[in-house]
Each structure stands twice: as structure tokens, then as C-alpha cells.
Amino acid sequence: MEDSPETAPKIDGMADEHRDGDLPDIVDLVMEMGASPPAPRPTPRVPARLEALVETATGYANAASSENTRDAYAKDWRHFTSWCRREGFDPLPPSSQVIGLYIGACAAGDPKRGLPPLSVATIERRLSGLAWNFIQRGVPMDRADRHIATVLAGIRRKHAKPPRQKEAVLGDDIKAMVNTLGHDLRGLRDRAILLIGFAGGLRRSEIVGLDVVRDDHSDGAGWIEIFPDQGVLVTLRGKTGWREVEVGRGASDQSCPVAALESWIRFGRIARGPLFRRIFKDNKTVDVERLSDKHVARLVKQTALAAGIRADLPEGERELLFSGHSLRAGLASSADIEERYVQKQLGHSSAEMTRKYQRRRDRFRVNLTKASGL
């Protein structure tokens, strides 16, 4: 619904000629914004005897979010403060007018500086990053303020695009992908990554976050427990607590995720610590460091292209189709079983989210054209 003159955003202190329901020119708005709000009160000094307790509390606070999330929020803050310096604004305390201008600039891009417009999803994530950073500094941002919400609504309406879903790799696709891998140490590791990621419906961060055994002092996301005659139990730490994922044995050792894990653990000589690790250039020495989740994305993309999946498309388009998420989406699209089992495996809180994943499996399953008599 379009803004009426009564509901359109009005910037406090604007000249009367701008009160016609339209946002004023950015230069005029900057001139009329005037002084910044008063600075927040300084944080009281912590007594020396409590410094150790402060460090402990800080450690727990850092553990509340993942390292990747904190890194992303830090980048969002640097982007915002750099923009503020260029435009002559103070980033603190938060000003809804300044933030409205900022997201408008993000959506418009800056051709002179070679900066492309940011997508709606990226702008929304930057707002979340700013909100988090402001809270950490004791000066919360009001994201619902009209100067932010109305500009964001306009950006969504003008620039929003249909979501580009990653291609789901199905069971036969995974078999073809693992067949492109060698039988050396690196091939054994990557085969286990693809098969356990697919069969478990795991995120790429969950795959590389696994430890080979339980370690309460680990920085990982969980661990595995192999049951020789049944399968592997994957225990994962999620945003809402712990969950267990059961991965059964496959019909063939060539495509069995449990057999692939057993081979990698045995030949990689991994007794404890990270399950999936880097391998040195000699392809014989396994590092102690945990593998990056970016490796999973690259691995899925490379093996999908090598296996000729979606060969009907040009090479450039095919490269954009696949990512680590293709494994998770592939399980939901391949497993033709009751929805509740897929929902449990993926750890979804709602069945609606699971249905979004079951895209290729259910496409055209119900034909309303024929059902209507045509």
C-alpha cells in the first residue's frame, strides 16, 4: 500500500516545503538534521576484584553467537562507520535518520566508487548487524522507527527479487559426484564429507564442526558415534539446544556414508579432535586444524560440475546453482518418506520450512489441470 500524506515519513525538523509526503533530497535532509542526540552515559568502572569475573562473563557472552556471526557483524559495523566518516556523520549514538540514509545509499550503490547496489537480503542482514553492535554499546537501535522502516519497505518494493534457490542434488547425483573423486587420502575425506552431509541433511558449518568423539572442551559443533551394525549417530549443537541425527548404513559400500566415515577415520588416523581436517600438499599428512566450511561449498560445486549435473545449462549458470546447501536440500527432495521424519532430520521447527525444501520431489505431483477435467 502506498503512503498517504498522513502516514508518509516526516523527518523531525524538516522545512515545511518537504512535508508533502515525499522524502526530501538527501542533501537538504543532511543540512536540516542539526545536532546529534546527547551521548550515552559512560559505563561505570569495574572494581579490580571483579575483573576476572568480567572476563568469564565476556567469554560466555561471546559463546552466545558463532564466530562466523560475530565476524559478519564486525564487517557490518566497519561498513557503516566507514560510510559515516565519508558523509560526515557520527555513528554513535544511533540516529534513525542517518541509518535510513545509510540503507538508501546501500540500495543505490555508488557508481563513482565502483560499488554496486546491495541486495535486499544483504541490507537486511546489515541492519541486523548494526542492531547487534548498537546493543553491545548500550545504545539500542529502533528498527521499527519510521525513518528506517519506511525506507526499507521502499527498498523491498523496488529492488526485491525472487529468491534464487540452490539446486538440490539428488541421490543419483551424489553417487555421480563421489565417483569423480580419487581413492587417495583427500578423496576419502571428501567422499565422507559429501555422503554424511547429504544423508544427514547437514549444514556445511555442521559438517566441519564435527569431532570424531565427544569432547566437552572442544570448540566444535558436535560429534559422531558409530554403531557398527546400524549407522552413525550425529550429535549437534544448534541455536535452540542439542539435537541428534541418525544416519543409517547404505545399500552399497560405494555410497554408504558410514563406510565412507570409517575409511576416512582409519586411513586418516584420527583418534580425537576435529573429524574433517586439512591435508598437506603431499596428500599423506593430515593436519590438526579443522577444515573450513568454505571447502564444503567448493567441493559440492566442483564435483557437481565434474559429474555433469545440469549439463543442459551453460557453464556460467551451472556454477551458480550449487553450494554446500545443495546437500541439505537434496536429502529433503530425495527422501520419499513421511514429512515428519524429514523435518526431524533437518531440525526444522515447523513443517512449513521442510516443505520449502521438498521442492523437486513434489513438483507437479498434484495435477490440478487433469483433476479439473482438462
Side-chain angles (χ1 to χ4, degrees):
M1 184 174 62
E2 295 184 359
D3 290 322
S4 64
E6 291 77 21
T7 61
K10 297 181 177 66
I11 307 299
D12 297 333
M14 274 178 14
D16 290 339
E17 60 265 30
H18 293 316
R19 299 188 181 274
D20 59 356
D22 294 324
L23 284 172
D25 181 86
I26 187 169
V27 176
D28 295 336
L29 177 58
V30 171
M31 294 292 292
E32 294 166 2
M33 283 179 59
S36 301
R41 290 179 296 177
T43 304
R45 185 180 182 85
V46 177
R49 61 185 177 83
L50 296 180
E51 289 180 356
L53 187 58
V54 170
E55 291 183 7
T56 300
T58 302
Y60 285 127
N62 289 335
S65 57
S66 70
E67 184 177 353
N68 287 343
T69 299
R70 293 195 300 273
D71 287 345
Y73 286 167
K75 290 178 181 177
D76 293 336
W77 184 251
R78 288 196 297 270
H79 189 272
F80 173 66
T81 54
S82 296
W83 178 86
C84 284
R85 284 195 299 271
R86 289 196 304 271
E87 303 300 333
F89 296 124
D90 290 327
L92 288 171
S95 164
S96 57
Q97 291 99 328
V98 170
I99 296 171
L101 291 175
Y102 167 69
I103 62 175
C106 289
D110 189 347
K112 293 182 179 179
R113 302 180 65 242
L115 299 176
L118 299 182
S119 68
V120 175
T122 300
I123 292 172
E124 291 177 334
R125 205 226 49 220
R126 287 204 187 282
L127 275 177
S128 297
L130 292 185
W132 184 89
N133 276 282
F134 283 127
I135 288 175
Q136 305 312 305
R137 289 161 174 80
V139 282
M141 176 188 87
D142 183 7
R143 188 166 175 170
D145 185 282
R146 69 184 188 277
H147 302 312
I148 301 174
T150 308
V151 174
L152 183 59
I155 292 172
R156 286 174 178 152
R157 183 173 183 180
K158 187 172 182 179
H159 298 293
K161 299 178 182 178
R164 182 187 292 273
Q165 295 179 327
K166 293 299 181 180
E167 186 81 0
V169 291
L170 307 183
D172 289 340
D173 297 331
I174 283 290
K175 293 177 183 178
M177 289 162 64
V178 298
N179 285 338
T180 67
L181 299 171
H183 295 281
D184 54 7
L185 199 56
R186 187 170 280 106
L188 292 177
R189 180 200 63 189
D190 290 347
R191 182 175 282 100
I193 288 175
L194 290 176
L195 290 174
I196 195 67
F198 176 83
L202 305 180
R203 300 175 178 89
R204 66 184 194 181
S205 60
E206 294 172 338
I207 297 173
V208 300
L210 290 174
D211 291 331
V212 69
V213 294
R214 177 173 179 168
D215 182 354
D216 292 336
H217 301 289
S218 170
D219 62 349
W223 64 88
I224 65 168
E225 184 179 0
I226 296 178
F227 295 83
D229 299 326
Q230 297 171 295
V232 59
L233 180 66
V234 180
T235 303
L236 294 166
R237 180 194 295 113
K239 294 181 179 179
T240 58
W242 294 93
R243 68 184 179 96
E244 293 182 340
V245 175
E246 300 169 358
V247 178
R249 288 191 175 273
S252 167
D253 282 349
Q254 283 70 35
S255 59
C256 175
V258 185
L261 271 180
E262 291 172 330
S263 295
W264 161 242
I265 292 171
R266 181 169 68 255
F267 289 102
R269 298 179 181 180
I270 301 172
R272 62 184 306 105
L275 175 60
F276 296 114
R277 312 175 182 196
R278 296 182 296 177
I279 299 174
F280 290 121
K281 291 182 178 180
D282 62 5
N283 204 13
K284 296 179 181 179
T285 308
V286 178
D287 198 358
V288 297
E289 297 295 329
R290 192 180 301 278
L291 201 62
S292 166
D293 65 344
K294 294 179 180 179
H295 175 80
V296 179
R298 290 193 297 265
L299 175 63
V300 172
K301 187 184 296 289
Q302 291 169 359
T303 54
L305 295 177
I309 301 173
R310 293 306 308 270
D312 56 306
L313 297 176
E315 188 77 9
E317 292 185 27
R318 292 175 65 210
E319 289 183 354
L320 299 176
L321 284 179
F322 303 102
S323 72
H325 201 69
S326 297
L327 299 177
R328 187 168 165 83
L331 176 72
S333 300
S334 301
D336 197 1
I337 58 175
E338 288 185 44
E339 182 181 90
R340 60 192 177 100
Y341 293 114
V342 179
Q343 180 180 343
K344 177 179 180 295
Q345 189 83 342
L346 299 182
H348 287 155
S349 58
S350 68
E352 182 61 31
M353 178 61 70
T354 304
R355 294 187 192 109
K356 292 180 180 179
Y357 278 70
Q358 295 173 325
R359 37 194 183 245
R360 283 180 59 177
R361 191 196 71 182
D362 295 334
R363 199 172 288 159
F364 301 113
R365 176 174 288 192
V366 177
N367 189 332
L368 293 181
T369 305
K370 289 184 178 179
S372 65
L374 298 181

